[in-house]
Amino acid sequence: MQFELDITKHMRSGGDEFVLRSHFTTTDRALVLFGPSGSGKTLTLKAVAGLLTPDEGYIRVNGDVLYDSSAGVNTPTRRRRVGYVFQDYALFPHHTVRENVAFGLKPFFGKVNREEARSVDELIELFGLSRVAHLKPGFISGGQQQRTALARTLATKPRILLLDEPFSALDQPLRLRMRTELAKILENFDIPMIMVTHDSDEVESFAEAVVVYRDGNVVGIHSAEAVAQSGRSLGETIREEVALAYQTQ
């Protein structure tokens, strides 16, 4: 994956202003945006998805321009072919698991065709949701809700998967198990990923490269391969960088 991003966004609330200045380029397929809450990670993810329009800059995926202020390009979300899994999963509470998974495939006021229905059934089986496919989100576990959200996103065959703190709503034992499950899913689908987290253990589990944020700015970019060649772990490197950041505040 060739991913290029250089954007600026001014956000105002009352008399306060937050400025996002995000700039990085990578060819890695598993990218993690890391930093404390409120540092600009999720704003960057939303800009990639088209849910937030920057003030200026550009976003390119494999040479395809999703946004370019100078060229007047701002591709609508539905045409960006990105899959976004929200922090709270954003499942439709009055739809069953099967209906949630099929939602992105349905035309307005229509039904999925036979081939699409078969694809939905295959995803439900792959994600281990067959026993709960007839249930609504309020009647299934947090891990099953996460798998439903992932299945719904992957049903549309996106070219890149965006994950906004996918484990934050889970308790610790389930979080550890779902990390393993997600790693298997990503391997099965062979899909590039950008994940937002402030957990250094998740960085170490998933990142081929990590972009470190602080106060709306990118303050470091680390390659997992380069860090490993230095004889250190990526998690250790990130934890030291975070400690240094707090010392300088």
Side-chain angles (χ1 to χ4, degrees):
M1 177 181 73
Q2 177 71 29
F3 188 83
E4 305 164 88
L5 181 144
D6 187 351
I7 58 173
T8 300
K9 178 68 176 180
H10 293 76
M11 311 284 289
R12 292 178 177 83
S13 177
D16 298 323
E17 182 181 45
F18 177 86
V19 183
L20 173 68
R21 298 183 180 89
S22 187
H23 169 63
F24 56 87
T25 299
T26 183
T27 57
D28 292 294
R29 291 175 59 82
L31 181 66
V32 173
L33 310 185
F34 176 84
S37 297
S39 59
K41 309 181 301 298
T42 294
L43 291 178
T44 300
L45 205 67
K46 287 183 175 180
V48 176
L51 303 175
L52 174 80
T53 302
D55 296 327
E56 59 183 356
Y58 59 80
I59 303 170
R60 306 183 188 117
V61 178
N62 292 331
D64 187 10
V65 179
L66 303 185
Y67 172 80
D68 190 327
S69 59
S70 63
V73 175
N74 188 13
T75 304
T77 298
R78 65 184 180 278
R79 290 176 46 206
R80 293 194 180 197
R81 293 180 53 220
V82 299
Y84 196 118
V85 178
F86 292 88
Q87 186 173 343
D88 61 359
Y89 311 139
L91 298 175
F92 300 106
H94 302 301
H95 289 186
T96 66
V97 166
R98 176 174 277 104
E99 290 167 343
N100 267 280
V101 174
F103 184 83
L105 300 176
K106 293 195 321 183
F108 285 118
F109 306 112
K111 296 181 179 180
V112 296
N113 59 38
R114 183 175 301 177
E115 182 179 345
E116 290 168 336
R118 185 164 52 248
S119 176
V120 168
D121 288 338
E122 289 172 354
L123 280 169
I124 286 172
E125 183 176 353
L126 178 65
F127 280 77
L129 296 167
S130 298
R131 289 190 301 106
V132 299
H134 63 291
L135 298 178
K136 295 178 180 177
F139 296 92
I140 61 177
S141 70
Q144 289 166 335
Q145 289 178 22
Q146 186 191 63
R147 279 177 280 168
T148 300
L150 280 165
R152 180 180 65 183
T153 300
L154 293 170
T156 61
K157 297 181 172 58
R159 61 177 162 187
I160 184 170
L161 180 64
L162 310 179
L163 301 169
D164 188 2
E165 300 198 32
F167 308 108
S168 62
L170 307 176
D171 58 33
Q172 186 65 16
L174 184 55
R175 188 179 306 172
L176 295 174
R177 181 161 64 85
M178 290 306 297
R179 282 181 193 165
T180 302
E181 289 196 13
L182 178 59
K184 291 179 181 178
I185 289 166
L186 293 173
E187 185 176 354
N188 278 340
F189 281 86
D190 190 29
I191 183 171
M193 174 202 74
I194 302 177
M195 176 190 290
V196 163
T197 185
H198 57 259
D199 186 326
S200 58
D201 290 336
E202 291 170 13
V203 171
E204 199 158 9
S205 296
F206 292 99
E208 292 180 10
V210 55
V211 180
V212 183
Y213 281 76
R214 188 166 70 248
D215 300 327
N217 298 291
V218 173
V219 295
I221 303 175
H222 302 276
S223 161
E225 183 178 2
V227 171
Q229 289 175 353
S230 72
R232 310 182 67 202
S233 75
L234 187 58
E236 178 186 7
T237 301
I238 295 301
R239 284 189 287 270
E240 288 185 2
E241 184 163 323
V242 170
L244 179 62
Y246 279 103
Q247 289 173 9
T248 58
Q249 285 183 344

